[in-house]
Amino acid sequence: MAVWIQAQQLQGDALHQMQSLYGQHFPIEVRHYLSQWIEGQLWDAIDLENPQEEYKAKRLLEGLIQELQNKADHQVGEDGFLLKIKLGHYASQLKSTYDRCPLELVRCIKHILYTEQRLVREATNSNSPVGGMIDSMSQKYQQINQAFEELRLLTQDTENDLRKLQHNQEYFIIQYQESLRIQAQLTSLATLPPADRQLREPTLLSKRATVDAWLTREANTLQKYRLDLAEKHQKTLQLLRKQQNFILDDELIQWKRRQQLAGNGGPPEGGLDILQSWCEKLAETIWQNRQQIRKAEHLRQQLPLPGPIEELLNELNSTITDIISALVTSTFIIEKQPPQVLKTQTKFAATVRLLVGGKLNVHMNPPQVKATIISEQQAKALLKNENTRNDSSGEILNNNCVMEYHQTTGTLTAHFRNMSLKRIKRSDRRGAESVTEEKFTILFESQFSVGSNELVFQVKTLSLPVVVIVHGSQDNNATATVLWDNAFAEPGRVPFLVPDKVLWPQLCEAINMKYKAEVQSNRGLSEENLVFLAQKAFSSSSNNPEDYRGMTMTWSQFNRESLPGRNFTFWQWFDGVMELTKKHLKPHWNDGAILGFVNKQQAQDMVMSKPNGTFLLRFSDSEIGGITIAWVAENPNKRMVWNLMPYTTKDFTIRSLADRISDLNHLLFLYADRPKDEVFSKYYTPPLSKAVDGYVKPQIKQVVPEFATANPDLSVGNQTFMDQGASPATVNHPHAYGIYPPIDTMLDPDGDFDLDDTMDVARHVEELLRQPVASQWGGHLDYLVTVLPPAGQH
């Protein structure tokens, strides 16, 4: 169902929140009459931080205006006439507002759509009967809103009491002046004749006594009013602090934790809009109470009365200042984190946001934010308030940015778009620690004032830990450090302590999250997959998942110590699997065509129970980022399982997995019993088109000589291959034997396919094919050959 249809069914506070999204910047009528068109556009495809995307935003603005004009032109009848004028007016208004800043229109509409979706989702969850339980999120929001309503009433009550106190005090001062006037008259009687003095003095004395009695009584009343008001302010501040602690220590910390897990591939942390609205309500309420307390102090100074009120007001003023300081410093946050694996001399971005900037009018004098990279030790010293002025661990280019206020969304942000780490200064490492285990952080700091310079704030915030690398080969190990930190960091830790060992199920959750995100798949790691990984990690043979529940894995086991008999760590092997799957095997993994996490013996046992030609795909145990094919076939003496030497990324840049499987006609059924064409045919490369200009186009195909006669296209001329001896343990393929010249990659530095390198390989293969077979191929069992199409296709 369209979001707008559902949004119109909102009720109560949710409906009020939805309606408040609209105004002159974007009329609700436009949302209503163009709902289908608005929800059909790819707003999220536009990067608001990239000025080069402005042309896309411009086209959307033009499309919106055109749709409005079309809608206006189709209005007929008496009612249609008024709507026609109104829609035409809105078209002109939107063009005038956003013509020079079309990205702001995109920002506005994205904000509206996100908020509507959230409100609809919350309403749907709260209305759906889930075992009779009330939706916890809605219940939490209700509690927060109730607390804000209570704060509003308390603040309104103290405002009324303050007005009453001011009125009574002004009347008291008037009466006090009257008392002084009577006293002056009594003093002047001394100059009068005794007869006149005796005539007038009793009346003045009586009047003075009456006024003084009233002043005494009223002074006590004013003192009581002041004490009562102070007690009410104390109650308000207690509730304010409780509400603020809940929002900052629970909700904002949870958002930061979700942001940290998102760095490992967890779900998005969610928008900050609802948090900002809460923080803005806090700021507004705090500021109102602060102004009231300051006014009460001013009234006390106007009319000093003996009693404890001065001390109480000083305490209230100190408390309210602490509360607003905590709010401002805690809501200076990093909305978009810098990359956690940071390569020197490479551009990177980050976004800092002040959640209360709009309400406190900070944008009236936009503050500047500075970014600095500091070490783990410097971060510790900073949090201890030790003097770390001018301390840094490197030089960041373009590290200053002015905060910008976006009127449509009410956000105050600093977008660092073109930072670059020019150099890094490393500290002495501990023990076996490598450079890819050393953690840094980006410190963002600023200074601004609020309330006509009444309060000046110096704010700082630290990014998530970053690992600095200078070469892409370090990325693998740096990612391990970041993964461990993001997964197992505890709230409020000393920077950047993490446990040295964790329970195996905790690690499983982290690597499964990472795997699904990297491969971009909903198919994560199954329990069987995790058992296989546990066997590899702990050198165990147990197939029982329960045996690993209580086991712990140390950081050294994860990515310092090599696996037994290997020259790589557990993480390096697992990361190689992710990279290979992400780049070349994703559709096959999603289809369930790759079992992957199966050891050699298990693979043999599985296919041996199936018909000849049954095969499966498993990740190589011996090579990082490799995948192999195991299949069962007849030997002259007995049935046996054959294993092809692992394919790696290099191989798949030349010919895809599906095409290689298609080439090998002895592979018939994907384990357990699926015909291979049923699984892989949709990924086969289409046949070459007919020759052009009289030239024949060659193509590369894979051959396993022991099984070459199974391929009718390659049987002629290949009989010699069948004479070679073979061992079923491992069937080799070309990358190990130099059939084509060794190259680092088939991709250019930008990740694009390098045609020149590919043609070099093809020419080399052709040269090799012209030489005698025995001298080139003796003893090797799997390679690529160049095949000419049958006669008649040129």
Side-chain angles (χ1 to χ4, degrees), residues 690-720:
K690 290 186 178 181
V692 179
D693 299 331
Y695 288 100
V696 176
K697 292 184 179 180
Q699 65 182 16
I700 296 175
K701 283 198 174 183
Q702 179 180 239
V703 175
V704 177
E706 277 291 323
F707 299 88
T709 53
N711 188 336
D713 293 334
L714 298 176
S715 58
V716 178
N718 285 337
Q719 298 301 322
T720 309

PDB file of all heavy atoms in Angstrom, residues 690-720:
ATOM      1  N   LYS A 690      28.107 -14.078 -35.343  1.00  0.00           N
ATOM      2  CA  LYS A 690      28.792 -14.464 -36.575  1.00  0.00           C
ATOM      3  C   LYS A 690      29.967 -13.535 -36.849  1.00  0.00           C
ATOM      4  O   LYS A 690      30.001 -12.398 -36.418  1.00  0.00           O
ATOM      5  CB  LYS A 690      27.809 -14.437 -37.748  1.00  0.00           C
ATOM      6  CG  LYS A 690      26.765 -15.548 -37.675  1.00  0.00           C
ATOM      7  CD  LYS A 690      25.913 -15.571 -38.910  1.00  0.00           C
ATOM      8  CE  LYS A 690      24.910 -16.727 -38.842  1.00  0.00           C
ATOM      9  NZ  LYS A 690      24.074 -16.794 -40.049  1.00  0.00           N
ATOM     10  N   ALA A 691      30.946 -14.066 -37.601  1.00  0.00           N
ATOM     11  CA  ALA A 691      32.150 -13.307 -37.907  1.00  0.00           C
ATOM     12  C   ALA A 691      31.814 -12.075 -38.729  1.00  0.00           C
ATOM     13  O   ALA A 691      30.859 -12.049 -39.492  1.00  0.00           O
ATOM     14  CB  ALA A 691      33.134 -14.196 -38.667  1.00  0.00           C
ATOM     15  N   VAL A 692      32.633 -11.043 -38.533  1.00  0.00           N
ATOM     16  CA  VAL A 692      32.467  -9.799 -39.263  1.00  0.00           C
ATOM     17  C   VAL A 692      33.711  -9.571 -40.112  1.00  0.00           C
ATOM     18  O   VAL A 692      34.837  -9.846 -39.672  1.00  0.00           O
ATOM     19  CB  VAL A 692      32.265  -8.628 -38.288  1.00  0.00           C
ATOM     20  CG1 VAL A 692      32.103  -7.317 -39.049  1.00  0.00           C
ATOM     21  CG2 VAL A 692      31.063  -8.884 -37.389  1.00  0.00           C
ATOM     22  N   ASP A 693      33.529  -9.065 -41.328  1.00  0.00           N
ATOM     23  CA  ASP A 693      34.647  -8.754 -42.232  1.00  0.00           C
ATOM     24  C   ASP A 693      35.526  -9.959 -42.507  1.00  0.00           C
ATOM     25  O   ASP A 693      36.742  -9.837 -42.735  1.00  0.00           O
ATOM     26  CB  ASP A 693      35.513  -7.627 -41.644  1.00  0.00           C
ATOM     27  CG  ASP A 693      34.713  -6.345 -41.468  1.00  0.00           C
ATOM     28  OD1 ASP A 693      33.770  -6.145 -42.252  1.00  0.00           O
ATOM     29  OD2 ASP A 693      35.040  -5.563 -40.552  1.00  0.00           O
ATOM     30  N   GLY A 694      34.937 -11.156 -42.465  1.00  0.00           N
ATOM     31  CA  GLY A 694      35.682 -12.347 -42.842  1.00  0.00           C
ATOM     32  C   GLY A 694      36.592 -12.907 -41.776  1.00  0.00           C
ATOM     33  O   GLY A 694      37.310 -13.874 -42.018  1.00  0.00           O
ATOM     34  N   TYR A 695      36.593 -12.323 -40.566  1.00  0.00           N
ATOM     35  CA  TYR A 695      37.452 -12.817 -39.489  1.00  0.00           C
ATOM     36  C   TYR A 695      36.670 -13.750 -38.566  1.00  0.00           C
ATOM     37  O   TYR A 695      35.533 -13.492 -38.210  1.00  0.00           O
ATOM     38  CB  TYR A 695      38.011 -11.669 -38.667  1.00  0.00           C
ATOM     39  CG  TYR A 695      39.060 -10.862 -39.388  1.00  0.00           C
ATOM     40  CD1 TYR A 695      38.740  -9.657 -39.992  1.00  0.00           C
ATOM     41  CD2 TYR A 695      40.372 -11.337 -39.481  1.00  0.00           C
ATOM     42  CE1 TYR A 695      39.694  -8.919 -40.666  1.00  0.00           C
ATOM     43  CE2 TYR A 695      41.334 -10.605 -40.155  1.00  0.00           C
ATOM     44  CZ  TYR A 695      41.000  -9.398 -40.754  1.00  0.00           C
ATOM     45  OH  TYR A 695      41.947  -8.681 -41.409  1.00  0.00           O
ATOM     46  N   VAL A 696      37.335 -14.820 -38.174  1.00  0.00           N
ATOM     47  CA  VAL A 696      36.736 -15.774 -37.244  1.00  0.00           C
ATOM     48  C   VAL A 696      37.064 -15.355 -35.811  1.00  0.00           C
ATOM     49  O   VAL A 696      38.211 -15.038 -35.507  1.00  0.00           O
ATOM     50  CB  VAL A 696      37.277 -17.194 -37.505  1.00  0.00           C
ATOM     51  CG1 VAL A 696      36.717 -18.172 -36.479  1.00  0.00           C
ATOM     52  CG2 VAL A 696      36.928 -17.634 -38.914  1.00  0.00           C
ATOM     53  N   LYS A 697      36.075 -15.323 -34.958  1.00  0.00           N
ATOM     54  CA  LYS A 697      36.296 -14.955 -33.558  1.00  0.00           C
ATOM     55  C   LYS A 697      36.588 -16.209 -32.734  1.00  0.00           C
ATOM     56  O   LYS A 697      35.746 -17.102 -32.651  1.00  0.00           O
ATOM     57  CB  LYS A 697      35.059 -14.260 -32.982  1.00  0.00           C
ATOM     58  CG  LYS A 697      34.792 -12.899 -33.591  1.00  0.00           C
ATOM     59  CD  LYS A 697      33.603 -12.255 -32.897  1.00  0.00           C
ATOM     60  CE  LYS A 697      33.334 -10.867 -33.469  1.00  0.00           C
ATOM     61  NZ  LYS A 697      32.173 -10.225 -32.806  1.00  0.00           N
ATOM     62  N   PRO A 698      37.758 -16.287 -32.101  1.00  0.00           N
ATOM     63  CA  PRO A 698      38.034 -17.445 -31.239  1.00  0.00           C
ATOM     64  C   PRO A 698      37.354 -17.272 -29.894  1.00  0.00           C
ATOM     65  O   PRO A 698      36.962 -16.180 -29.523  1.00  0.00           O
ATOM     66  CB  PRO A 698      39.552 -17.401 -31.081  1.00  0.00           C
ATOM     67  CG  PRO A 698      39.876 -15.941 -31.182  1.00  0.00           C
ATOM     68  CD  PRO A 698      38.886 -15.356 -32.161  1.00  0.00           C
ATOM     69  N   GLN A 699      37.232 -18.348 -29.170  1.00  0.00           N
ATOM     70  CA  GLN A 699      36.731 -18.264 -27.806  1.00  0.00           C
ATOM     71  C   GLN A 699      37.541 -19.187 -26.920  1.00  0.00           C
ATOM     72  O   GLN A 699      38.127 -20.156 -27.389  1.00  0.00           O
ATOM     73  CB  GLN A 699      35.244 -18.621 -27.743  1.00  0.00           C
ATOM     74  CG  GLN A 699      34.930 -20.055 -28.122  1.00  0.00           C
ATOM     75  CD  GLN A 699      33.434 -20.342 -28.079  1.00  0.00           C
ATOM     76  OE1 GLN A 699      32.633 -19.432 -28.062  1.00  0.00           O
ATOM     77  NE2 GLN A 699      33.082 -21.604 -28.094  1.00  0.00           N
ATOM     78  N   ILE A 700      37.580 -18.841 -25.627  1.00  0.00           N
ATOM     79  CA  ILE A 700      38.364 -19.621 -24.664  1.00  0.00           C
ATOM     80  C   ILE A 700      37.438 -20.596 -23.958  1.00  0.00           C
ATOM     81  O   ILE A 700      36.360 -20.226 -23.505  1.00  0.00           O
ATOM     82  CB  ILE A 700      39.041 -18.688 -23.650  1.00  0.00           C
ATOM     83  CG1 ILE A 700      40.050 -17.797 -24.362  1.00  0.00           C
ATOM     84  CG2 ILE A 700      39.732 -19.476 -22.558  1.00  0.00           C
ATOM     85  CD1 ILE A 700      40.684 -16.764 -23.454  1.00  0.00           C
ATOM     86  N   LYS A 701      37.881 -21.855 -23.896  1.00  0.00           N
ATOM     87  CA  LYS A 701      37.114 -22.863 -23.155  1.00  0.00           C
ATOM     88  C   LYS A 701      38.051 -23.648 -22.257  1.00  0.00           C
ATOM     89  O   LYS A 701      39.244 -23.771 -22.517  1.00  0.00           O
ATOM     90  CB  LYS A 701      36.392 -23.804 -24.117  1.00  0.00           C
ATOM     91  CG  LYS A 701      35.146 -23.200 -24.740  1.00  0.00           C
ATOM     92  CD  LYS A 701      34.236 -24.267 -25.332  1.00  0.00           C
ATOM     93  CE  LYS A 701      32.932 -23.649 -25.806  1.00  0.00           C
ATOM     94  NZ  LYS A 701      31.996 -24.673 -26.313  1.00  0.00           N
ATOM     95  N   GLN A 702      37.466 -24.227 -21.207  1.00  0.00           N
ATOM     96  CA  GLN A 702      38.229 -25.003 -20.239  1.00  0.00           C
ATOM     97  C   GLN A 702      38.151 -26.487 -20.598  1.00  0.00           C
ATOM     98  O   GLN A 702      37.108 -26.980 -21.018  1.00  0.00           O
ATOM     99  CB  GLN A 702      37.646 -24.780 -18.847  1.00  0.00           C
ATOM    100  CG  GLN A 702      38.357 -25.575 -17.782  1.00  0.00           C
ATOM    101  CD  GLN A 702      37.750 -25.316 -16.417  1.00  0.00           C
ATOM    102  OE1 GLN A 702      38.431 -24.870 -15.520  1.00  0.00           O
ATOM    103  NE2 GLN A 702      36.488 -25.579 -16.265  1.00  0.00           N
ATOM    104  N   VAL A 703      39.305 -27.159 -20.394  1.00  0.00           N
ATOM    105  CA  VAL A 703      39.361 -28.585 -20.690  1.00  0.00           C
ATOM    106  C   VAL A 703      39.994 -29.315 -19.525  1.00  0.00           C
ATOM    107  O   VAL A 703      40.997 -28.848 -18.977  1.00  0.00           O
ATOM    108  CB  VAL A 703      40.192 -28.848 -21.973  1.00  0.00           C
ATOM    109  CG1 VAL A 703      40.351 -30.347 -22.201  1.00  0.00           C
ATOM    110  CG2 VAL A 703      39.550 -28.197 -23.172  1.00  0.00           C
ATOM    111  N   VAL A 704      39.436 -30.445 -19.136  1.00  0.00           N
ATOM    112  CA  VAL A 704      40.074 -31.381 -18.208  1.00  0.00           C
ATOM    113  C   VAL A 704      40.437 -32.600 -19.041  1.00  0.00           C
ATOM    114  O   VAL A 704      39.544 -33.364 -19.441  1.00  0.00           O
ATOM    115  CB  VAL A 704      39.138 -31.758 -17.045  1.00  0.00           C
ATOM    116  CG1 VAL A 704      39.814 -32.791 -16.147  1.00  0.00           C
ATOM    117  CG2 VAL A 704      38.783 -30.523 -16.235  1.00  0.00           C
ATOM    118  N   PRO A 705      41.717 -32.788 -19.366  1.00  0.00           N
ATOM    119  CA  PRO A 705      42.095 -33.825 -20.350  1.00  0.00           C
ATOM    120  C   PRO A 705      41.579 -35.213 -20.033  1.00  0.00           C
ATOM    121  O   PRO A 705      41.163 -35.935 -20.928  1.00  0.00           O
ATOM    122  CB  PRO A 705      43.629 -33.777 -20.305  1.00  0.00           C
ATOM    123  CG  PRO A 705      43.936 -32.367 -19.919  1.00  0.00           C
ATOM    124  CD  PRO A 705      42.861 -31.973 -18.961  1.00  0.00           C
ATOM    125  N   GLU A 706      41.587 -35.613 -18.773  1.00  0.00           N
ATOM    126  CA  GLU A 706      41.106 -36.947 -18.425  1.00  0.00           C
ATOM    127  C   GLU A 706      39.665 -37.158 -18.875  1.00  0.00           C
ATOM    128  O   GLU A 706      39.231 -38.283 -19.086  1.00  0.00           O
ATOM    129  CB  GLU A 706      41.190 -37.152 -16.918  1.00  0.00           C
ATOM    130  CG  GLU A 706      42.557 -37.566 -16.404  1.00  0.00           C
ATOM    131  CD  GLU A 706      42.922 -38.983 -16.827  1.00  0.00           C
ATOM    132  OE1 GLU A 706      42.017 -39.828 -16.866  1.00  0.00           O
ATOM    133  OE2 GLU A 706      44.090 -39.220 -17.139  1.00  0.00           O
ATOM    134  N   PHE A 707      38.915 -36.058 -19.000  1.00  0.00           N
ATOM    135  CA  PHE A 707      37.484 -36.166 -19.325  1.00  0.00           C
ATOM    136  C   PHE A 707      37.158 -35.450 -20.632  1.00  0.00           C
ATOM    137  O   PHE A 707      36.031 -35.098 -20.897  1.00  0.00           O
ATOM    138  CB  PHE A 707      36.649 -35.578 -18.187  1.00  0.00           C
ATOM    139  CG  PHE A 707      36.849 -36.291 -16.886  1.00  0.00           C
ATOM    140  CD1 PHE A 707      37.866 -35.912 -16.013  1.00  0.00           C
ATOM    141  CD2 PHE A 707      36.063 -37.383 -16.546  1.00  0.00           C
ATOM    142  CE1 PHE A 707      38.077 -36.581 -14.825  1.00  0.00           C
ATOM    143  CE2 PHE A 707      36.271 -38.050 -15.340  1.00  0.00           C
ATOM    144  CZ  PHE A 707      37.272 -37.653 -14.478  1.00  0.00           C
ATOM    145  N   ALA A 708      38.215 -35.208 -21.458  1.00  0.00           N
ATOM    146  CA  ALA A 708      38.017 -34.405 -22.662  1.00  0.00           C
ATOM    147  C   ALA A 708      37.085 -35.077 -23.653  1.00  0.00           C
ATOM    148  O   ALA A 708      36.340 -34.409 -24.362  1.00  0.00           O
ATOM    149  CB  ALA A 708      39.359 -34.110 -23.322  1.00  0.00           C
ATOM    150  N   THR A 709      37.086 -36.418 -23.747  1.00  0.00           N
ATOM    151  CA  THR A 709      36.235 -37.087 -24.730  1.00  0.00           C
ATOM    152  C   THR A 709      34.770 -36.929 -24.409  1.00  0.00           C
ATOM    153  O   THR A 709      33.912 -37.183 -25.245  1.00  0.00           O
ATOM    154  CB  THR A 709      36.563 -38.580 -24.786  1.00  0.00           C
ATOM    155  OG1 THR A 709      36.484 -39.110 -23.454  1.00  0.00           O
ATOM    156  CG2 THR A 709      37.958 -38.791 -25.344  1.00  0.00           C
ATOM    157  N   ALA A 710      34.488 -36.500 -23.170  1.00  0.00           N
ATOM    158  CA  ALA A 710      33.080 -36.275 -22.822  1.00  0.00           C
ATOM    159  C   ALA A 710      32.534 -35.037 -23.483  1.00  0.00           C
ATOM    160  O   ALA A 710      31.337 -34.814 -23.500  1.00  0.00           O
ATOM    161  CB  ALA A 710      32.928 -36.169 -21.306  1.00  0.00           C
ATOM    162  N   ASN A 711      33.428 -34.229 -24.064  1.00  0.00           N
ATOM    163  CA  ASN A 711      33.010 -32.981 -24.707  1.00  0.00           C
ATOM    164  C   ASN A 711      33.069 -33.160 -26.204  1.00  0.00           C
ATOM    165  O   ASN A 711      34.152 -33.217 -26.790  1.00  0.00           O
ATOM    166  CB  ASN A 711      33.936 -31.834 -24.267  1.00  0.00           C
ATOM    167  CG  ASN A 711      33.429 -30.485 -24.760  1.00  0.00           C
ATOM    168  OD1 ASN A 711      32.702 -30.414 -25.753  1.00  0.00           O
ATOM    169  ND2 ASN A 711      33.838 -29.416 -24.079  1.00  0.00           N
ATOM    170  N   PRO A 712      31.940 -33.284 -26.885  1.00  0.00           N
ATOM    171  CA  PRO A 712      31.954 -33.565 -28.312  1.00  0.00           C
ATOM    172  C   PRO A 712      32.637 -32.478 -29.122  1.00  0.00           C
ATOM    173  O   PRO A 712      33.220 -32.743 -30.151  1.00  0.00           O
ATOM    174  CB  PRO A 712      30.462 -33.677 -28.670  1.00  0.00           C
ATOM    175  CG  PRO A 712      29.749 -32.947 -27.574  1.00  0.00           C
ATOM    176  CD  PRO A 712      30.578 -33.126 -26.365  1.00  0.00           C
ATOM    177  N   ASP A 713      32.594 -31.247 -28.649  1.00  0.00           N
ATOM    178  CA  ASP A 713      33.197 -30.155 -29.410  1.00  0.00           C
ATOM    179  C   ASP A 713      34.709 -30.220 -29.396  1.00  0.00           C
ATOM    180  O   ASP A 713      35.374 -29.643 -30.251  1.00  0.00           O
ATOM    181  CB  ASP A 713      32.745 -28.799 -28.857  1.00  0.00           C
ATOM    182  CG  ASP A 713      31.266 -28.580 -29.087  1.00  0.00           C
ATOM    183  OD1 ASP A 713      30.720 -29.161 -30.037  1.00  0.00           O
ATOM    184  OD2 ASP A 713      30.679 -27.829 -28.288  1.00  0.00           O
ATOM    185  N   LEU A 714      35.295 -30.885 -28.375  1.00  0.00           N
ATOM    186  CA  LEU A 714      36.736 -30.854 -28.209  1.00  0.00           C
ATOM    187  C   LEU A 714      37.370 -32.230 -28.416  1.00  0.00           C
ATOM    188  O   LEU A 714      38.554 -32.395 -28.211  1.00  0.00           O
ATOM    189  CB  LEU A 714      37.084 -30.333 -26.807  1.00  0.00           C
ATOM    190  CG  LEU A 714      36.619 -28.913 -26.512  1.00  0.00           C
ATOM    191  CD1 LEU A 714      36.940 -28.575 -25.058  1.00  0.00           C
ATOM    192  CD2 LEU A 714      37.274 -27.918 -27.442  1.00  0.00           C
ATOM    193  N   SER A 715      36.581 -33.242 -28.821  1.00  0.00           N
ATOM    194  CA  SER A 715      37.114 -34.598 -28.900  1.00  0.00           C
ATOM    195  C   SER A 715      38.131 -34.744 -30.023  1.00  0.00           C
ATOM    196  O   SER A 715      39.125 -35.424 -29.879  1.00  0.00           O
ATOM    197  CB  SER A 715      35.972 -35.603 -29.087  1.00  0.00           C
ATOM    198  OG  SER A 715      35.236 -35.279 -30.270  1.00  0.00           O
ATOM    199  N   VAL A 716      37.918 -34.064 -31.131  1.00  0.00           N
ATOM    200  CA  VAL A 716      38.839 -34.186 -32.256  1.00  0.00           C
ATOM    201  C   VAL A 716      40.135 -33.490 -31.901  1.00  0.00           C
ATOM    202  O   VAL A 716      40.151 -32.348 -31.474  1.00  0.00           O
ATOM    203  CB  VAL A 716      38.227 -33.538 -33.528  1.00  0.00           C
ATOM    204  CG1 VAL A 716      39.213 -33.628 -34.683  1.00  0.00           C
ATOM    205  CG2 VAL A 716      36.922 -34.216 -33.873  1.00  0.00           C
ATOM    206  N   GLY A 717      41.243 -34.194 -32.085  1.00  0.00           N
ATOM    207  CA  GLY A 717      42.543 -33.580 -31.829  1.00  0.00           C
ATOM    208  C   GLY A 717      42.963 -33.628 -30.387  1.00  0.00           C
ATOM    209  O   GLY A 717      44.080 -33.247 -30.078  1.00  0.00           O
ATOM    210  N   ASN A 718      42.100 -34.121 -29.528  1.00  0.00           N
ATOM    211  CA  ASN A 718      42.450 -34.130 -28.106  1.00  0.00           C
ATOM    212  C   ASN A 718      42.717 -35.529 -27.574  1.00  0.00           C
ATOM    213  O   ASN A 718      42.839 -35.721 -26.393  1.00  0.00           O
ATOM    214  CB  ASN A 718      41.328 -33.491 -27.274  1.00  0.00           C
ATOM    215  CG  ASN A 718      41.312 -31.991 -27.410  1.00  0.00           C
ATOM    216  OD1 ASN A 718      42.332 -31.404 -27.748  1.00  0.00           O
ATOM    217  ND2 ASN A 718      40.167 -31.376 -27.149  1.00  0.00           N
ATOM    218  N   GLN A 719      42.792 -36.529 -28.470  1.00  0.00           N
ATOM    219  CA  GLN A 719      42.954 -37.898 -27.986  1.00  0.00           C
ATOM    220  C   GLN A 719      44.260 -38.082 -27.233  1.00  0.00           C
ATOM    221  O   GLN A 719      44.347 -38.886 -26.333  1.00  0.00           O
ATOM    222  CB  GLN A 719      42.878 -38.870 -29.169  1.00  0.00           C
ATOM    223  CG  GLN A 719      41.531 -38.846 -29.905  1.00  0.00           C
ATOM    224  CD  GLN A 719      40.381 -39.191 -28.994  1.00  0.00           C
ATOM    225  OE1 GLN A 719      40.518 -40.053 -28.140  1.00  0.00           O
ATOM    226  NE2 GLN A 719      39.251 -38.528 -29.138  1.00  0.00           N
ATOM    227  N   THR A 720      45.263 -37.266 -27.611  1.00  0.00           N
ATOM    228  CA  THR A 720      46.553 -37.398 -26.934  1.00  0.00           C
ATOM    229  C   THR A 720      46.427 -37.148 -25.444  1.00  0.00           C
ATOM    230  O   THR A 720      47.136 -37.726 -24.635  1.00  0.00           O
ATOM    231  CB  THR A 720      47.556 -36.394 -27.533  1.00  0.00           C
ATOM    232  OG1 THR A 720      47.551 -36.529 -28.950  1.00  0.00           O
ATOM    233  CG2 THR A 720      48.956 -36.637 -27.008  1.00  0.00           C
TER     234      THR A 720
END
